[in-house]
Amino acid sequence: MQDFFSVLLPEVKKELRRGIIECSKRGLLHSTKWLAEMHHGLNDVQIDNEAPDDDHTFSQCQLEGIAPAEYSDYFLAKSYYDVREYERAAHAVRNCESSVPRFLHFYSTYLAREKRRLDSTTDQANLNEPNQMRDLADLLATLRAEYGKSRLDGYGIYLYGVVLKALNLNQAAEQMLVHAIRLVPMLWSAYLELSPLIMEKKKLLGLQLGGHWMRHFFMAHTYLELYLNDDGLKIYEDLQTSGFGKSIYLIAQMALVYHNKRDVDKAIELYQALLESDPYRLDNVDTYSNLLFVKEMKTEMAQLAHKAVSINKYRPETCCVIGNYYSIRCDHQVAISYFQRALKLNPKYLAAWTLMGHEFMELKNTNAAIQSYRKAVEVNKRDYRAWYGLGQAYEIIKMHYYSLYYFKIAHQLRPYDSRMLVALGETYEKLDKCENAVKCYWKAIDVGDIEGIAMYKLASLHEKLGDHETAVHCYIMYCEDERAATDKQSLYQGFMTLANYYEKKGDYERAAYYAYKCLDSDERKTEAKALLKTIDLRRSAEWQKKSKTPSAVATAETSSEEEEEEDMEWELPDMRVRVPFTSMATTTTSTTATAASSSLRAGRALSEGMRRSHSNRASLTSAASSSTTTTTATVTTPTVEETPGTASRAANPTERPPSDDASSMDISSVSID
């Protein structure tokens, strides 16, 4: 840790104190506020002798850089500046030559031009149109001339970079801002202006900012802007352990990291702790309201909105919180009005543009949503939410090549966000570029599917392409973890597909397993019941086929027993009529056929749930009765020799006998002495 932050904390506190004085007397309010918060976080650190740097007294530090003859002009200009009368402030110090009043003149002129431009900007105007920037042309020429004469200090070079950036001269602006940071490393506003110009990590690491300890805060902040959350979180954790653990700024930034990482509970916990320690803080409260919106915490959202209004109802963050409050109540039109109010207070308020686009999407106003997202992109080209929103808007109006372009940009900004990859896959699928769609879905699964639908999309695509085996494999993987599936209807669709697949394959156990899971879905219940009924019928048919084999064995045993009984009966000495061998054969054949018919009935009874022993007993009884009847009919036939008719009946035992012989036959036809 000593290698990471080698500066002693008392020295850090001295530099912060000196930076507060220098920024305050130049009217750099945001830098002064940030430095003061960092200074307050080191409240436990003691400074030796409690004296300002370089043996200067506190009053001398405040007047340093101001010529004694210009004190009155400076104090007057500074008073005008503090009440936001920028043109009067610039006029008051127009003839001053010392560094601090001269910077105040240039900075007041810039703020006056910017205020005039924003006041004349309508909701439909482009924030970066060239004609909106023409007022800065004369100021740019003046600053360029001053820089060429080496009359600008670090603060003046910072202002020169700001004007260049406002005119979209980004490369020159980057050089000026880096130069200003090397001259004045405590100027936090210079770091904030430089951060949006850094578009990749390699460029960030290549910046020559010097070895000042402030670079750590800039690196962490830029990592968050690039959505490299893990790298930023590591730096913030190291800064906390280095002695900045009580800094409000660090706590807010770590909450923002967890917000970007979608660890909503941890982020809410940090924001709640932040509000407890600083209850009247409105910075980042809009991000906190977004987290409450995601968790659908309506009560907490209402309390936050009332608290923000009581603190300052004219802050853009307050209007954003109220807009989120009405949005969570599904009152989208009122939410839009509050986002528009926030934009009147600050036309470059990024969150309001993006959230207003979301509200227009809810109202199905696609054109207004596209306009809002484009304004968000103008404010910050690294806002992936705006690019993603543009892709969704063009997808709704079926302009898929446009949506593909915007989804690609969103994916470049968030390469490890599965939502961007799934959106790309869906767009490729609609454009019939199925190979690219498959790659996007697989990559979404590899990086961690946030929404839990990439595997389902992949399975549906393979099913659409006719690759049923791969589709089934994907459906199985998708349905394994039911809790991870966010879309229950997609889950039931997967269950139903698997049930139909296994039913066709004859695997009725698995088919029934997946079909039973669909009974919990109101939309799939009817289809699942029909499939279960089909599975039951097919199972019954299989059981019926299996039951034929044991019934035939029982029939053979029954026929053997009946033949033995008949042989014993015919061997009695007192019988008057002898039965020829042919008739006995006829009897045996008829008996076997009748018993087989009874066996079929026994098998059907088994498939319907009846007991096997009862059906066998019924088969034996029926076979014996049929055998007796047939035997009687044969005995009463007066012909001893085999006739063609007799042979025909023996060959076809199922054919009915003539009515004059068989209709009146019974057991009484046999006479026994």
Side-chain angles (χ1 to χ4, degrees), residues 119-138:
D119 289 343
S120 62
T121 300
T122 62
D123 294 338
Q124 290 76 27
N126 192 330
L127 293 175
N128 294 323
E129 285 182 357
N131 58 355
Q132 298 289 338
M133 301 299 172
R134 61 190 176 187
D135 291 339
L136 296 177
D138 56 346

Side-chain angles (χ1 to χ4, degrees), residues 55-71:
D55 297 329
H56 286 79
T57 62
F58 186 74
S59 59
Q60 288 176 332
C61 289
Q62 285 185 319
L63 296 176
E64 184 179 352
I66 308 173
E70 298 173 352
Y71 282 169

Side-chain angles (χ1 to χ4, degrees), residues 559-582:
S559 301
S560 178
E561 293 175 359
E562 291 174 352
E563 288 177 359
E564 291 178 359
E565 292 177 359
E566 291 173 359
D567 290 341
M568 292 176 62
E569 182 176 306
W570 296 126
E571 289 176 358
L572 293 176
D574 295 333
M575 189 167 297
R576 292 183 179 179
V577 181
R578 292 289 180 179
V579 180
F581 182 79
T582 305

Side-chain angles (χ1 to χ4, degrees), residues 40 103 152 159 215 244 252 280 310 359 393 398 437 442 478 484 493 527 575 621 629:
H40 185 268
F103 174 82
L152 295 179
L159 180 59
R215 74 184 188 279
F244 293 93
Y280 296 98
S310 65
E359 297 303 311
K398 300 186 184 305
W442 274 120
Y478 174 68
Q493 172 65 27
E527 185 179 357
M575 189 167 297
T621 305
T629 305

Side-chain angles (χ1 to χ4, degrees), residues 171 173-179 181-182 190-191 193-211 215 218-219 222 226 382:
Q171 187 174 359
E174 180 184 335
Q175 295 175 357
M176 292 299 105
L177 291 171
V178 171
H179 189 190
I181 289 172
R182 294 180 66 89
Y191 293 101
E193 293 290 339
L194 178 61
S195 181
L197 301 177
I198 309 302
M199 301 303 295
E200 56 184 9
K201 182 178 180 180
K202 183 179 179 180
K203 186 176 181 180
L204 173 63
L205 297 176
L207 290 177
Q208 302 297 325
L209 299 176
R215 74 184 188 279
F218 168 70
M219 295 282 287
T222 309
L226 295 173
R382 286 201 308 241

